[in-house]
Amino acid sequence: MAKKNMSMFVACFVSSMVLNLFFIINLYVGEDSKLGLSWSKKAAADAEAVAAISCSGHGRAYLDGLVLNENGFPVCECNSCYGGPDCSEFSPACAVNADGGDPYFLEPFWRQHAASSALVVAGWHRMGYSYSDHTFISQELERHVRILHSIVGNAVTAGRYIVFGAGSTQLLNAAVNALSPDNSSMPAPIVASIPYYPVYKMQTDIFQSMNFKFEGDASLWKNSTSDATVNVIEFVTSPNNPDGQPNKAVLSGPNAKAIHDHAYYWPHFSPIPTPADEDVMVFTISKLTGHASTRFGWAIIKDKAVYERMIQYMNLNTFGVSRDSQLRALKLLKVVIEGGGREIFEFGYKTMRDRWQKLSETLSKSKRFSLQKIAPQYCSFLHEVRESSPAYAWVKCEREEDRDCNAVLQGANINGREGSMYSAEDRYVRLSLIRSQDDFDLLLQRLNKLMLGEEGAKPL
């Protein structure tokens, strides 16, 4: 009787396995057949296989990564201070990277949305230079950019022109070129408020144009805008990089023109009190979705003549933005817009808020270091008064002898970016808060260890 029962159990078990296998095959293979999937199946399988490579949670493998294995799979690319074939080996003496601006803090969000953000592209996709309307701008992507700003409420787009660029970097110089006079007796001064993003100066200098020249601190030019022969162009970064302040233009008057860099004006980092409504506004996908490598940004322009000059610059410079980049940006914006943008912005805000609070609590116990203060504001997107959750900590060394704050932190195995990079004193240092969770956790550990050695401090 026992043998009979066992035989029946085995028969039922085998039948169940066969039935489940049938349903699985029907679900995946059958659906592929219904959808007519053929050439895309291998591409999808390759992407899934690489995504499944275990890097111990401290790295990731990429389809275009270096292949050193006999199995043909790319190797793991590890987070800072981790190594080994699967990124499981931690280097205790390694210096933490708080210098770079790679926005890996959003990587977990995209892992959670792997299916909706995935993209399979045919080998013959957009092989020509232009779209069917003979432009270099995807109309569908432009439409989604306008929808995005309408949902977030961070910029006015109605009645405005939109220009695409390779990140904000290319657009910044396109705007400088468009706002500069062609036939002036002197080059237009380019200025910004200290501390300012160093690319403004570096990019302006490298072009060595006769039409514009970087002249540094905007406050030194307040009395020059009344001179009808001088056209001054001011970079206004809001929120500011490096200190997260909601900057306003310093200069005013008929000969003062401004380029408003709003790379960080998203709910991850800043309250959104009102829509930005300036003549020239620049945004980038790198700080919106975290995809810095896609090299995609856009400018919102009020004046048609400025728009046409920027379009001319872009067309001559690179024939517009890569069509592949525009396709990926479109896919990403569709995910962002789903559900009114709540998912990504709540995820990003919570991550950055938690990091900012932990860092603030750590440094609040110190008499040696201080952190920037940013006033809270009402956020129309979250419908509440909230603190900023900036991308970077702007740390000041308070001791008289600590004139090189970055060197002080390097002594604790923390690599930041010195204040002089932003035309400020080296008593300041910028620490990046937008990198991976590994990077942030290690930064916090090193800072707490540094606090332990500080007389009178009360480390957490």
Side-chain angles (χ1 to χ4, degrees):
M1 185 68 179
K3 289 184 178 180
K4 184 178 180 181
N5 288 339
M6 178 61 71
S7 298
M8 289 180 65
F9 172 78
V10 170
C12 289
F13 178 76
V14 171
S15 299
S16 175
M17 291 293 292
V18 170
L19 191 60
N20 283 326
L21 183 61
F22 169 78
F23 283 128
I24 290 171
I25 292 172
N26 185 65
L27 177 63
Y28 291 101
V29 178
E31 283 301 311
D32 285 354
S33 178
K34 291 174 188 176
L35 295 171
L37 299 181
S38 56
W39 57 265
S40 63
K41 281 191 273 188
K42 185 180 184 304
D46 288 347
E48 294 245 12
V50 172
I53 294 173
S54 174
C55 298
S56 304
H58 302 299
R60 74 288 299 159
Y62 298 108
L63 276 169
D64 60 352
L66 184 64
V67 176
L68 296 177
N69 307 315
E70 292 181 0
N71 61 15
F73 286 120
V75 299
C76 286
E77 298 182 21
C78 305
N79 293 339
S80 300
C81 299
Y82 286 87
D86 63 350
C87 302
S88 61
E89 299 172 13
F90 177 66
S91 301
C94 169
V96 62
N97 182 355
D99 179 10
D102 294 315
Y104 289 125
F105 79 102
L106 285 170
E107 184 180 292
F109 174 86
W110 294 107
R111 287 185 176 273
Q112 294 167 16
H113 294 78
S116 59
S117 62
L119 191 64
V120 178
V121 184
W124 57 91
H125 173 77
R126 297 284 181 197
M127 293 177 66
Y129 285 111
S130 63
Y131 292 93
S132 59
D133 61 357
H134 307 295
T135 72
F136 303 131
I137 290 180
S138 163
Q139 292 185 23
E140 185 65 5
L141 179 53
E142 180 183 330
R143 186 174 74 87
H144 277 76
V145 167
R146 294 181 186 274
I147 293 171
L148 170 68
H149 284 297
S150 176
I151 288 172
V152 179
N154 64 340
V156 174
T157 62
R160 307 297 171 88
Y161 304 93
I162 292 181
V163 182
F164 293 166
S168 61
T169 308
Q170 188 180 30
L171 289 163
L172 294 171
N173 198 68
V176 167
N177 182 75
L179 294 173
S180 300
D182 286 328
N183 300 307
S184 176
S185 58
M186 64 174 287
I190 311 298
V191 299
S193 292
I194 296 173
Y196 54 75
Y197 182 42
V199 169
Y200 299 150
K201 172 176 168 48
M202 294 164 66
Q203 187 170 239
T204 304
D205 287 349
I206 201 170
F207 281 98
Q208 297 183 345
S209 172
M210 296 178 64
N211 294 332
F212 50 82
K213 181 181 179 183
F214 196 83
E215 294 288 358
D217 188 3
S219 64
L220 302 178
W221 290 80
K222 283 185 176 180
N223 297 326
S224 301
T225 54
S226 59
D227 185 347
T229 64
V230 179
N231 290 286
V232 184
I233 301 171
E234 180 183 0
F235 280 115
V236 183
T237 318
S238 183
N240 193 36
N241 176 7
D243 60 8
Q245 299 295 340
N247 284 353
K248 303 291 184 183
V250 170
L251 307 180
S252 60
N255 297 318
K257 301 174 182 178
I259 300 167
H260 291 261
D261 185 348
H262 290 305
Y264 298 89
Y265 195 43
W266 300 104
H268 312 321
F269 308 115
S270 168
I272 309 295
T274 57
D277 187 18
E278 295 100 13
D279 291 352
V280 178
M281 301 179 284
V282 178
F283 294 85
T284 173
I285 206 170
S286 66
K287 301 307 183 291
L288 163 63
T289 69
H291 292 83
S293 62
T294 301
R295 306 312 304 136
F296 179 76
W298 62 94
I300 303 172
I301 311 298
K302 184 180 290 186
D303 183 76
K304 186 178 181 181
V306 174
Y307 161 75
E308 289 176 344
R309 291 194 64 172
M310 288 186 69
I311 284 288
Q312 181 187 42
Y313 177 96
M314 296 301 305
N315 292 353
L316 293 174
N317 188 248
T318 54
F319 283 104
V321 179
S322 160
R323 311 303 168 261
D324 293 344
S325 292
Q326 293 191 52
L327 179 63
R328 191 182 194 199
L330 176 60
K331 185 70 172 180
L332 296 170
L333 290 194
K334 286 180 178 179
V335 178
V336 170
I337 289 168
E338 284 179 5
R342 305 300 301 188
E343 276 197 83
I344 188 169
F345 292 123
E346 287 179 359
F347 178 94
Y349 171 51
K350 182 181 184 303
T351 301
M352 294 307 301
R353 180 196 62 195
D354 291 351
R355 292 184 179 189
W356 180 248
Q357 288 176 348
K358 289 176 180 177
L359 184 76
S360 299
E361 288 170 6
T362 296
L363 292 182
S364 68
K365 308 301 179 182
S366 171
K367 295 180 180 179
R368 187 178 187 182
F369 305 98
S370 63
L371 198 58
Q372 78 261 42
K373 306 294 183 185
I374 307 173
Q377 288 182 293
Y378 178 78
C379 180
S380 60
F381 181 78
L382 295 177
H383 304 292
E384 64 182 25
V385 175
R386 52 158 284 198
E387 302 278 347
S388 289
S389 42
Y392 309 107
W394 188 235
V395 178
K396 182 182 180 182
C397 282
E398 296 289 351
R399 289 180 180 174
E400 179 61 30
E401 63 269 25
D402 291 342
R403 291 185 174 87
D404 188 343
C405 201
N406 195 39
V408 172
L409 293 182
Q410 284 177 340
N413 257 358
I414 298 171
N415 287 335
R417 192 171 293 181
E418 59 271 20
S420 56
M421 282 285 292
Y422 303 89
S423 295
E425 298 176 32
D426 276 334
R427 193 172 291 281
Y428 290 90
V429 61
R430 193 195 79 167
L431 301 178
S432 177
L433 307 181
I434 59 177
R435 292 181 56 80
S436 71
Q437 192 62 41
D438 280 341
D439 287 314
F440 178 74
D441 290 344
L442 188 54
L443 170 64
L444 214 57
Q445 290 173 23
R446 295 282 166 78
L447 285 172
N448 269 305
K449 187 176 180 181
L450 184 60
M451 298 301 109
L452 280 170
E454 183 181 336
E455 185 179 350
K458 300 176 182 178
L460 300 178

